[in-house]
Amino acid sequence: MKVIVSGYGKMGHMVENILRLRNIECVATSEDIRSTDKALAKECVCIDFTTPDAFRANYRFLAENFKAVVVGTTGWNDIKDEVIECFKSSGTTMIYASNFSIGVNIFFAAADYLSGLLADAGGYSAYVEEKHHCHKLDRPSGTAKTIAQIVEAHGGKVPDIAAVRCGEIAGIHTLGFEGSHDRITFTHEAFSREGFAAGAVEAAIRTESLEGVHEFKDIIFLK
């Protein structure tokens, strides 16, 4: 498998390191993915960790030219339907996630289970808190939105999301349920961004045996 990394900030560097550790060829890193030779792109999986604006400008090129694409960039949910349709019509495999951390995807599964139990029990109101480094552009985080969607699917109501941007926090997400007599909280804290990079590389490997468009949380635990 050959990989090109789109976006060469902190996440791009970490993805490159993980690829090296797993003996996967990183053909190139790019700040301008649309300058990639199209013949080369057809042989490669692109792992995208750019910015919301960059992804909006690049997704058609990615869909039309790469063998497969892994999207770790968030902040484009408002155009999600057209992005997915573009990849489907191009016949290009895409795996996307609001968060590629394996631990966070376990958190999603647990949140789904817990939300179902509490919706059946009744009497609990949910909320989501997220904290990230001051450089993060989207607010609230895509991960927080995913958690809120999971809760909404069971309870029919979108929970409030509180967002904090401070220092160099890698990512802390808390799902809380407030009842008349008690409170239940569930938290995931990332110690670094390395877990996101490792998950994205795992997703790139999964593209070798998948077709179509998939959210990482729906395929990561498939054997």
Side-chain angles (χ1 to χ4, degrees):
M1 184 176 69
K2 298 179 180 179
V3 174
I4 293 178
V5 179
S6 178
Y8 201 45
K10 292 180 179 179
M11 281 304 304
H13 281 82
M14 287 187 180
V15 169
E16 183 182 29
N17 289 337
I18 298 294
L19 290 169
R20 185 180 299 113
L21 288 171
R22 299 197 63 169
N23 295 314
I24 298 171
E25 183 179 0
C26 183
V27 175
T29 59
S30 177
E31 293 288 1
D32 180 15
I33 199 66
R34 285 179 290 175
S35 66
T36 304
D37 178 79
K38 292 183 179 181
L40 176 62
K42 287 296 182 186
E43 301 175 358
C44 297
V45 177
C46 178
I47 298 180
D48 182 280
F49 277 103
T50 53
T51 66
D53 286 344
F55 180 73
R56 289 166 189 271
N58 296 337
Y59 78 85
R60 290 190 182 279
F61 181 87
L62 297 175
E64 292 168 1
N65 293 285
F66 276 87
K67 178 181 176 182
V69 179
V70 172
V71 183
T73 304
T74 58
W76 50 272
N77 198 58
D78 58 308
I79 59 167
K80 179 179 174 180
D81 289 347
E82 63 189 78
V83 170
I84 289 175
E85 179 56 35
C86 182
F87 276 86
K88 285 183 175 179
S89 63
S90 298
T92 301
T93 301
M94 172 190 177
I95 299 177
Y96 69 97
S98 57
N99 193 313
F100 275 104
S101 161
I102 303 301
V104 162
N105 282 275
I106 292 171
F107 183 103
F108 289 155
D112 185 45
Y113 179 70
L114 190 59
S115 296
L117 288 178
L118 292 172
D120 290 342
Y124 287 87
S125 298
Y127 63 90
V128 179
E129 293 179 339
E130 59 99 340
K131 300 177 182 178
H132 281 90
H133 52 86
C134 59
H135 317 290
K136 187 169 178 59
L137 298 178
D138 54 325
R139 179 191 186 108
S141 69
T143 303
K145 291 178 180 177
T146 298
I147 297 167
Q149 289 165 1
I150 290 169
V151 174
E152 181 188 10
H154 289 284
K157 182 179 179 182
V158 181
D160 285 343
I161 302 175
V164 172
R165 298 289 175 267
C166 185
E168 297 297 331
I169 300 170
I172 303 172
H173 291 87
T174 297
L175 171 59
F177 293 91
E178 192 81 11
S180 300
H181 307 295
D182 54 15
R183 176 185 302 120
I184 300 169
T185 58
F186 187 44
T187 298
H188 177 275
E189 179 173 357
F191 299 144
S192 74
R193 299 179 180 91
E194 188 172 348
F196 312 144
V201 171
E202 177 61 31
I205 294 170
R206 296 292 183 100
T207 65
E208 297 283 272
S209 58
L210 286 173
E211 295 182 352
V213 177
H214 305 273
E215 191 167 3
F216 190 56
K217 69 181 181 64
D218 296 329
I219 58 101
I220 185 54
F221 302 116
L222 296 178
K223 300 296 184 182

